[in-house]
Amino acid sequence: MANSKWEYVKEFEQPDKLLPNTWIVVRIDGRGFTKFADKYGFEKPNDRRALDLMNAAAKAVVSELPDITIAYGISDEYSFVLHKSCHLFQRRSSKVVTTVVSTFTAYYIYLWSTFFPDAPLSPPLPSFDGRAVCYPTVQNLRDYMSWRQADCHINNLYNTVFWALIQRGGMDNKEAEKALAGTVSGDKHEILFSKFGINYNNEPEIYKKGSVIFRDYELVEPGSHQAAAEIDGLAEPTQQSKTQAEKDKKKRAKARIVVEHLDIIKDEFWDRRPWLLSNKPGKIPKEP
Amino acid sequence: MANSKWEYVKEFEQPDKLLPNTWIVVRIDGRGFTKFADKYGFEKPNDRRALDLMNAAAKAVVSELPDITIAYGISDEYSFVLHKSCHLFQRRSSKVVTTVVSTFTAYYIYLWSTFFPDAPLSPPLPSFDGRAVCYPTVQNLRDYMSWRQADCHINNLYNTVFWALIQRGGMDNKEAEKALAGTVSGDKHEILFSKFGINYNNEPEIYKKGSVIFRDYELVEPGSHQAAAEIDGLAEPTQQSKTQAEKDKKKRAKARIVVEHLDIIKDEFWDRRPWLLSNKPGKIPKEP
Amino acid sequence: MANSKWEYVKEFEQPDKLLPNTWIVVRIDGRGFTKFADKYGFEKPNDRRALDLMNAAAKAVVSELPDITIAYGISDEYSFVLHKSCHLFQRRSSKVVTTVVSTFTAYYIYLWSTFFPDAPLSPPLPSFDGRAVCYPTVQNLRDYMSWRQADCHINNLYNTVFWALIQRGGMDNKEAEKALAGTVSGDKHEILFSKFGINYNNEPEIYKKGSVIFRDYELVEPGSHQAAAEIDGLAEPTQQSKTQAEKDKKKRAKARIVVEHLDIIKDEFWDRRPWLLSNKPGKIPKEP
Amino acid sequence: MANSKWEYVKEFEQPDKLLPNTWIVVRIDGRGFTKFADKYGFEKPNDRRALDLMNAAAKAVVSELPDITIAYGISDEYSFVLHKSCHLFQRRSSKVVTTVVSTFTAYYIYLWSTFFPDAPLSPPLPSFDGRAVCYPTVQNLRDYMSWRQADCHINNLYNTVFWALIQRGGMDNKEAEKALAGTVSGDKHEILFSKFGINYNNEPEIYKKGSVIFRDYELVEPGSHQAAAEIDGLAEPTQQSKTQAEKDKKKRAKARIVVEHLDIIKDEFWDRRPWLLSNKPGKIPKEP
């Protein structure tokens, strides 16, 4: 029963290499999470336990795949960024995407009971889909990140008012929708404040800004490092010496992976953390 | 903070629709399972609990995704076949593949403790990668399935002798490898029998044949149904009436999903289960 | 000046292999041919010289690329079909498409003066774009061909009435458009007949049916040959012996390439010319 | 004969959009030009008429497709560069590539008799294939161009010596090959000079450097313009006002398209012609 006569079927596999020298963003999304959130009674507009679980799973992904330089999450979605010089799995799209999705899913299920000790999982289980997108320049990448964080802000402001109108204003869904139709950002702040005494600016940062995960090194003074433009200009990164690559790897392994809720739209975030775009590990901060 | 100025980044997403009217095979593989198997002390050459867990996870995938008509698994890999008429997720490759991988991973982690009650999981967790391949004809699809089952046979025969030489013959890895170098199938049977009194043919079917999962209906007499050639000939499936689609869906939901260890290379398996290729549910067998 | 430090740029080339075991259709279209037709005073609704030139160029393409089994042309478009077993250029899409487009263009320019002796070409020159599409089954392929021939019929009937209304009915473009708005096929026949005494059925076949190009062998009795379903069923064509391949090649080289104006929607066309789908050359007819 | 029942075949067409914000290089190559060159008695190692014809055809392509910012040709190949902000044909790969290939072929055939008045074309006609490759950064693009020009140099030096050994040294092909085996650049210069009195540096620039085609504006002082890094940094080009776009278009139309034989590896070429990378037309030089 030699299998050689069937091996021709391998020829039907199509290569799917992501264009070299571009930033790879793998975005994953919860499948059917509206229904899933209902099943487990997620709090509205934000369930802190659910977000913490997303962050814990994402942090594990970043930890297991050092090629990920930064990740950003809101609600039931997470974006993982691989550096443009990354050669993980020869940049095979399916392999990169499924590895991220599978690792994330594994930790989501595994850690569930830590965050929801009183609500054991039962089938159908939560799952995630994902895709990879290539961005040629730092500007494109940062615009992608800005787009997601702006979405976070817009959605959270809307949801905060919407659920206040329902939970504290006694409206039903339709009434709340109608009350918000055509309102702009300022109107929503106003409703929150005048009707419910809520100052939106005092809402928790995790809800307003989403969560950003990265390896932490000592912050640098803006302007003291390689400019984004230079990073774009890199063709293929010059082949590192093995010693240097080893050193970098060790530094990365030592770095603390942090989950923060910062503004990633403004330059400051990126300027003070040049390692995010340069892929050169920074200086490990001294233990406090 | 309108996000409209960043939305252009959506244009970088590339469509990845799988060619219509072709069979889609999603194959997933355990990542780094050699190491993982060592960590949890999987038995050699086959760990029955590990295979049962793979099968249980795969069965859950087939159950949650009714577009899957058949699945076949060996060792730490599983192939899921979607019918050529399937429109799941508009046949978007990333979406199809990541959904299968994520659902499988979720159940693998979730069910772990059922099959390994004494070996709780700890990070790094098991994960899976996957890819989708299109096959234009029934013959191509069956050749793919035959290729996997032939691989199962070849690997299992080799591993059975290899580990017998080590576990019962006192050899080390290198000696066993050397003893097997250049041997053909017959030689291996002979070694097993003469040295260890093992008749390979009596080994458990699950090890020799792998596992095949499908919805079970009443077997039919070969020759009484639509030929494979006719199925190939179908362009786009004629639009079913909604009533018929509803009926089929109900039948499928009622059908028992079974895990078997059968020869899927020979015609008989396919001839007696025409629903696997036609995608028309068969007759639900009466409860015994 | 070794070029090794720049050779990495080859890695950016993406593979574009067309799925094996599927029919490849390369369709080419004239670029900006409305304007081009005006410049050279093409007759309306059909310019016989222009169609003859298209056919002559297409015939040259079929002659130079024996992997093409059939071609079909209407107006300024042509579709070239490569057999599903074809391995031309390892099925690289760019290579296949550009070769067809370039060869067609070369002959179109080269033969121009034969068909338009009184209207020498001048820049900007006519050019063509093209794309490749894969069809998994004979039915899909035949539906594609039927789609193009139905389009030919619909367009030609419309154009024939439209230009009769203008050229013989004294209408301007807008009036003719208006007169035809909402008419069905029968209405158009009626207008032609009642207003202009034209029986559409007597119009030249080349205008009504388009042009089909293929290698000609002796017609067979329908039913006496390999069924389409069998052709679909072929996985990879069994490796021909070299002698057989040589014989086939010679037969193909000997076969006359014909340009006909036949119904390719009905079964008869295909049933009597089994070589079109089987890729096995037929019997060379005796010279008359 | 409504064609609606067949229109589903359009669904098999796969999108093939080239990644936005990347440089598109379309490279075309003569098909079977070794044989073709023999048929028409091209001179060795370089046939000036053949190169002039290539350049004339390429110049026509650049003229008809203003999205092309620069083109570079050697022997029977030509590379056409479309600016990273280009939206020609919505960046559909097939459409872009076939349009370039077809336009080039059309002019090659059309202009043949101008350059080879005594050798009329006869079938089989010359034709070209092509492919598109995306480069994310200016550095990648310039490395691609450098790679081609380095290839030009290496090949031309080899061919110059090779044919000198044959034409003037009385060797046959094998002897010349053997004589050159293992030689480095310096050796080849030495052979040319010592054996045949040829100073390679005095060979015509068109043979040593290849040909570069671009729209010509007034040269600028290096350093006075937008840096390459800035160009890389551009995400999507800011939407130009319509007036500005119109102005640019007119300027481009007025610009003279030149064929030069310059060093495109060094920075100077690019620094003094910032319009090549910025896509902003320069200053039209005053007529002399």
Side-chain angles (χ1 to χ4, degrees):
Chain A
M1 194 171 7
N3 64 359
S4 57
K5 74 173 176 182
W6 295 306
E7 275 188 330
Y8 80 89
V9 297
K10 282 196 279 188
E11 306 241 327
F12 290 73
E13 296 184 14
Q14 303 266 21
D16 62 347
K17 191 182 157 184
L18 297 160
L19 190 69
N21 202 27
T22 58
W23 300 88
I24 302 169
V25 174
V26 176
R27 184 171 72 246
I28 71 170
D29 281 279
R31 296 186 56 240
F33 259 50
T34 308
K35 207 171 156 186
F36 176 69
D38 283 348
K39 179 177 169 187
Y40 292 96
F42 282 15
E43 282 165 32
K44 303 289 187 180
N46 292 293
D47 188 292
R48 183 61 196 247
R49 301 160 301 169
L51 290 178
D52 286 345
L53 172 52
M54 288 291 292
N55 289 342
K59 193 176 165 182
V61 171
V62 174
S63 170
E64 291 204 4
L65 299 168
D67 292 275
I68 296 170
T69 60
I70 186 167
Y72 176 73
I74 53 173
S75 182
D76 63 342
E77 89 170 36
Y78 238 99
S79 300
F80 299 90
V81 180
L82 293 95
H83 195 265
K84 62 186 222 152
S85 67
C86 154
H87 286 92
L88 184 65
F89 307 134
Q90 292 86 51
R91 301 176 74 91
R92 281 153 55 200
S93 182
S94 299
K95 192 107 179 169
V96 169
V97 178
T98 55
T99 296
V100 169
V101 166
S102 181
T103 306
F104 188 91
T105 306
Y107 281 95
Y108 193 92
I109 303 292
Y110 175 74
L111 295 170
W112 173 269
S113 62
T114 308
F115 294 90
F116 291 89
D118 306 324
L121 275 179
S122 65
L125 300 180
S127 62
F128 299 83
D129 59 44
R131 85 225 57 206
V133 186
C134 290
Y135 290 106
T137 66
V138 166
Q139 191 57 55
N140 292 146
L141 173 68
R142 284 197 45 195
D143 286 347
Y144 173 84
M145 301 297 266
S146 296
W147 174 52
R148 298 321 304 140
Q149 191 166 53
D151 238 31
C152 171
H153 168 77
I154 290 165
N155 293 340
N156 189 58
L157 178 55
Y158 184 94
N159 290 336
T160 304
V161 194
F162 182 82
W163 288 101
L165 289 171
I166 289 171
Q167 292 165 348
R168 302 172 55 177
M171 292 189 182
D172 64 18
N173 283 20
K174 288 222 162 157
E175 290 164 342
E177 251 174 55
K178 213 177 149 187
L180 287 172
T183 59
V184 297
S185 178
D187 303 332
K188 296 195 186 74
H189 280 267
E190 181 57 26
I191 296 174
L192 274 179
F193 193 72
S194 62
K195 291 212 175 169
F196 309 110
I198 297 171
N199 183 341
Y200 182 75
N201 298 325
N202 296 338
E203 289 292 293
E205 292 296 297
I206 185 174
Y207 302 154
K208 289 185 301 181
K209 297 274 200 320
S211 300
V212 54
I213 301 183
F214 52 89
R215 286 179 178 73
D216 207 21
Y217 303 99
E218 269 187 19
L219 295 181
V220 308
E221 286 309 304
S224 62
H225 59 86
Q226 192 180 35
E230 266 179 76
I231 290 157
D232 275 331
L234 295 174
E236 285 288 272
T238 47
Q239 207 62 38
Q240 278 190 315
S241 69
K242 277 203 179 166
T243 340
Q244 188 57 43
E246 266 318 304
K247 268 191 198 165
D248 282 5
K249 207 178 152 182
K250 273 184 196 160
K251 265 191 176 175
R252 246 177 234 119
K254 263 191 212 165
R256 216 163 40 104
I257 297 172
V258 295
V259 181
E260 306 273 11
H261 317 291
L262 301 166
D263 185 320
I264 60 172
I265 297 179
K266 297 209 192 88
D267 291 339
E268 199 204 349
F269 174 80
W270 305 92
D271 283 347
R272 303 208 60 188
R273 294 169 185 84
W275 61 85
L276 296 175
L277 297 176
S278 71
N279 213 28
K280 294 179 195 145
K283 205 169 157 185
I284 303 281
K286 297 204 178 86
E287 296 298 318
Chain B
M1 196 173 2
N3 64 359
S4 56
K5 74 172 176 182
W6 296 307
E7 275 189 330
Y8 80 89
V9 297
K10 281 196 280 187
E11 307 244 327
F12 290 74
E13 297 184 13
Q14 304 266 22
D16 63 345
K17 191 183 158 185
L18 298 161
L19 189 69
N21 203 28
T22 57
W23 299 88
I24 302 169
V25 174
V26 176
R27 183 170 74 244
I28 71 171
D29 281 279
R31 295 186 57 239
F33 259 51
T34 308
K35 208 171 156 187
F36 175 70
D38 283 350
K39 178 176 169 187
Y40 292 96
F42 283 13
E43 284 166 30
K44 302 288 188 181
N46 293 292
D47 187 293
R48 182 61 196 245
R49 300 160 303 170
L51 290 180
D52 286 344
L53 171 53
M54 288 292 290
N55 288 342
K59 194 176 165 181
V61 171
V62 173
S63 170
E64 291 204 5
L65 298 169
D67 291 274
I68 296 170
T69 60
I70 186 166
Y72 176 73
I74 52 174
S75 182
D76 62 343
E77 88 169 38
Y78 238 99
S79 299
F80 299 90
V81 180
L82 293 95
H83 195 265
K84 64 186 221 152
S85 67
C86 155
H87 285 93
L88 184 66
F89 307 133
Q90 292 86 52
R91 301 177 75 89
R92 280 153 55 200
S93 182
S94 299
K95 192 108 179 170
V96 168
V97 178
T98 54
T99 296
V100 168
V101 166
S102 181
T103 307
F104 188 91
T105 306
Y107 281 95
Y108 193 91
I109 304 293
Y110 176 74
L111 295 170
W112 173 269
S113 63
T114 308
F115 294 90
F116 290 89
D118 305 327
L121 276 179
S122 65
L125 300 179
S127 62
F128 298 83
D129 59 44
R131 84 224 58 204
V133 186
C134 291
Y135 291 105
T137 66
V138 167
Q139 191 58 54
N140 293 146
L141 173 67
R142 284 196 45 195
D143 286 348
Y144 173 83
M145 301 296 265
S146 297
W147 175 50
R148 299 321 305 139
Q149 193 166 51
D151 237 30
C152 170
H153 168 77
I154 291 166
N155 294 339
N156 189 59
L157 177 56
Y158 184 94
N159 290 337
T160 304
V161 194
F162 182 82
W163 288 101
L165 289 171
I166 289 170
Q167 292 165 348
R168 302 171 57 178
M171 291 188 181
D172 64 18
N173 282 20
K174 287 223 164 156
E175 289 164 341
E177 249 175 56
K178 211 176 152 189
L180 287 171
T183 59
V184 297
S185 178
D187 303 333
K188 297 195 186 75
H189 281 267
E190 181 56 27
I191 296 173
L192 275 179
F193 194 72
S194 63
K195 290 214 174 164
F196 309 109
I198 297 172
N199 183 342
Y200 183 74
N201 298 326
N202 296 340
E203 288 292 292
E205 292 296 297
I206 186 174
Y207 301 155
K208 289 184 302 182
K209 297 272 199 321
S211 300
V212 54
I213 302 184
F214 52 88
R215 287 180 177 72
D216 207 20
Y217 303 99
E218 271 189 15
L219 295 181
V220 309
E221 286 307 305
S224 62
H225 60 84
Q226 193 180 34
E230 267 180 71
I231 291 158
D232 275 331
L234 294 174
E236 285 288 271
T238 48
Q239 206 63 36
Q240 276 191 319
S241 69
K242 277 204 178 167
T243 341
Q244 188 58 43
E246 265 319 302
K247 267 190 200 167
D248 282 5
K249 207 179 153 181
K250 273 184 197 161
K251 264 191 173 172
R252 244 176 235 121
K254 263 191 212 166
R256 215 162 42 102
I257 296 172
V258 296
V259 181
E260 306 273 11
H261 317 290
L262 301 166
D263 184 320
I264 61 172
I265 297 179
K266 296 209 191 88
D267 292 338
E268 199 203 350
F269 173 79
W270 303 92
D271 284 347
R272 303 210 61 189
R273 294 169 187 84
W275 63 84
L276 295 175
L277 298 176
S278 71
N279 212 27
K280 295 178 195 149
K283 206 169 158 184
I284 303 283
K286 298 207 179 81
E287 296 298 318
Chain C
M1 196 171 5
N3 64 359
S4 57
K5 73 173 175 182
W6 296 306
E7 274 188 331
Y8 80 89
V9 297
K10 283 197 278 187
E11 307 243 327
F12 290 74
E13 297 184 15
Q14 302 266 21
D16 62 346
K17 192 183 158 185
L18 298 160
L19 190 69
N21 204 27
T22 57
W23 299 88
I24 301 170
V25 174
V26 176
R27 182 168 77 245
I28 71 170
D29 280 280
R31 296 187 57 239
F33 258 51
T34 307
K35 207 172 157 186
F36 176 70
D38 282 350
K39 178 176 170 187
Y40 291 95
F42 283 14
E43 284 165 31
K44 302 289 187 178
N46 291 292
D47 188 293
R48 183 60 196 247
R49 301 160 303 169
L51 290 179
D52 286 345
L53 171 53
M54 288 292 291
N55 288 342
K59 194 175 164 181
V61 171
V62 173
S63 170
E64 289 203 5
L65 298 168
D67 292 271
I68 296 171
T69 60
I70 186 166
Y72 176 74
I74 53 173
S75 184
D76 63 342
E77 88 169 38
Y78 238 99
S79 299
F80 299 90
V81 180
L82 293 95
H83 195 266
K84 63 186 220 152
S85 67
C86 155
H87 285 93
L88 184 66
F89 307 134
Q90 292 85 52
R91 301 176 74 90
R92 281 153 53 199
S93 183
S94 299
K95 191 109 179 170
V96 169
V97 178
T98 55
T99 296
V100 168
V101 166
S102 182
T103 306
F104 188 92
T105 306
Y107 280 95
Y108 193 91
I109 304 293
Y110 176 75
L111 295 170
W112 173 269
S113 62
T114 308
F115 294 91
F116 290 90
D118 306 325
L121 276 178
S122 65
L125 300 180
S127 63
F128 298 83
D129 60 43
R131 85 226 57 205
V133 186
C134 291
Y135 291 106
T137 66
V138 167
Q139 191 58 54
N140 292 146
L141 173 67
R142 282 196 47 195
D143 286 348
Y144 172 85
M145 300 297 266
S146 297
W147 174 52
R148 298 323 303 141
Q149 192 166 53
D151 238 30
C152 171
H153 168 78
I154 290 165
N155 293 340
N156 189 57
L157 177 56
Y158 184 94
N159 290 337
T160 304
V161 194
F162 181 83
W163 287 101
L165 289 171
I166 289 170
Q167 292 165 347
R168 301 171 56 177
M171 290 186 181
D172 64 19
N173 282 21
K174 287 222 163 157
E175 290 164 341
E177 250 175 55
K178 213 177 150 187
L180 287 172
T183 59
V184 297
S185 177
D187 304 331
K188 296 195 187 76
H189 280 268
E190 181 57 28
I191 296 173
L192 275 179
F193 194 72
S194 61
K195 290 213 175 163
F196 308 109
I198 297 172
N199 182 340
Y200 182 75
N201 297 326
N202 296 338
E203 289 292 293
E205 292 297 296
I206 185 174
Y207 301 155
K208 290 185 302 183
K209 298 272 200 321
S211 300
V212 54
I213 301 182
F214 51 89
R215 288 181 176 72
D216 206 21
Y217 304 98
E218 269 188 18
L219 297 181
V220 307
E221 286 308 305
S224 62
H225 59 85
Q226 192 180 35
E230 267 180 74
I231 291 157
D232 275 331
L234 296 174
E236 285 287 273
T238 48
Q239 205 63 38
Q240 278 190 318
S241 69
K242 277 203 178 165
T243 341
Q244 188 59 41
E246 265 319 302
K247 268 189 197 166
D248 282 5
K249 206 179 153 181
K250 273 184 195 160
K251 264 191 174 174
R252 244 176 236 123
K254 264 191 210 165
R256 215 162 42 101
I257 297 173
V258 296
V259 181
E260 307 272 10
H261 317 292
L262 301 166
D263 185 320
I264 61 171
I265 296 178
K266 297 208 192 89
D267 291 339
E268 199 204 350
F269 174 79
W270 304 93
D271 283 348
R272 302 208 62 187
R273 295 169 186 82
W275 61 84
L276 295 175
L277 297 176
S278 72
N279 213 26
K280 294 178 196 149
K283 203 169 158 185
I284 304 282
K286 296 203 179 83
E287 297 297 319
Chain D
M1 194 169 9
N3 65 359
S4 56
K5 73 174 178 183
W6 295 306
E7 274 187 331
Y8 80 89
V9 297
K10 282 196 281 188
E11 307 243 326
F12 290 73
E13 296 184 14
Q14 303 266 22
D16 62 346
K17 191 183 157 184
L18 298 160
L19 190 70
N21 203 26
T22 57
W23 299 89
I24 302 170
V25 174
V26 176
R27 183 171 74 244
I28 70 171
D29 280 280
R31 296 186 56 239
F33 258 51
T34 308
K35 207 170 157 187
F36 175 70
D38 283 349
K39 179 175 168 188
Y40 292 96
F42 283 13
E43 282 165 30
K44 302 290 187 179
N46 291 293
D47 187 294
R48 183 61 197 247
R49 301 160 302 170
L51 290 179
D52 286 344
L53 171 53
M54 288 293 290
N55 288 343
K59 194 176 165 182
V61 171
V62 174
S63 170
E64 290 203 6
L65 298 169
D67 293 272
I68 296 170
T69 60
I70 187 167
Y72 177 74
I74 51 173
S75 183
D76 62 343
E77 91 170 35
Y78 238 99
S79 299
F80 299 90
V81 179
L82 293 95
H83 194 264
K84 63 185 220 151
S85 67
C86 154
H87 285 93
L88 183 67
F89 307 133
Q90 292 86 49
R91 301 176 74 90
R92 282 152 54 201
S93 182
S94 298
K95 192 106 178 172
V96 169
V97 178
T98 55
T99 296
V100 169
V101 166
S102 181
T103 306
F104 188 92
T105 306
Y107 281 94
Y108 194 92
I109 303 292
Y110 176 74
L111 296 170
W112 174 268
S113 61
T114 307
F115 294 90
F116 290 91
D118 306 324
L121 275 179
S122 65
L125 301 180
S127 62
F128 298 83
D129 58 43
R131 86 225 58 206
V133 186
C134 291
Y135 291 105
T137 66
V138 167
Q139 192 57 55
N140 293 145
L141 173 68
R142 282 197 46 195
D143 286 348
Y144 172 85
M145 301 296 266
S146 297
W147 174 51
R148 299 322 304 140
Q149 191 165 53
D151 238 31
C152 171
H153 168 77
I154 291 165
N155 293 340
N156 189 58
L157 177 55
Y158 184 94
N159 291 336
T160 304
V161 194
F162 181 82
W163 287 100
L165 289 171
I166 290 170
Q167 293 165 347
R168 301 171 57 177
M171 291 189 181
D172 63 20
N173 283 19
K174 287 222 164 158
E175 289 164 343
E177 250 173 59
K178 212 177 152 188
L180 287 170
T183 59
V184 297
S185 178
D187 303 332
K188 296 194 187 76
H189 281 268
E190 181 58 28
I191 295 173
L192 275 179
F193 193 73
S194 60
K195 290 212 176 166
F196 308 110
I198 297 171
N199 183 340
Y200 182 75
N201 298 326
N202 296 338
E203 289 292 292
E205 291 297 297
I206 185 174
Y207 302 155
K208 289 185 303 183
K209 296 273 200 322
S211 300
V212 54
I213 300 182
F214 51 88
R215 288 181 176 71
D216 207 20
Y217 304 99
E218 269 188 17
L219 296 181
V220 308
E221 286 309 305
S224 61
H225 60 84
Q226 191 180 35
E230 267 179 72
I231 290 157
D232 276 332
L234 294 175
E236 285 289 270
T238 48
Q239 206 63 38
Q240 277 192 317
S241 69
K242 277 204 179 164
T243 340
Q244 188 58 43
E246 266 319 302
K247 268 190 199 165
D248 282 6
K249 206 178 152 183
K250 274 185 196 158
K251 264 191 174 172
R252 244 176 235 122
K254 265 192 211 162
R256 215 162 43 100
I257 297 173
V258 296
V259 181
E260 306 272 11
H261 318 291
L262 301 166
D263 184 319
I264 60 173
I265 296 178
K266 295 207 192 90
D267 291 338
E268 199 204 350
F269 173 80
W270 304 92
D271 283 347
R272 303 210 60 188
R273 294 168 187 84
W275 62 84
L276 295 175
L277 297 176
S278 71
N279 212 28
K280 294 179 195 147
K283 206 169 157 185
I284 303 282
K286 297 205 179 84
E287 297 298 318

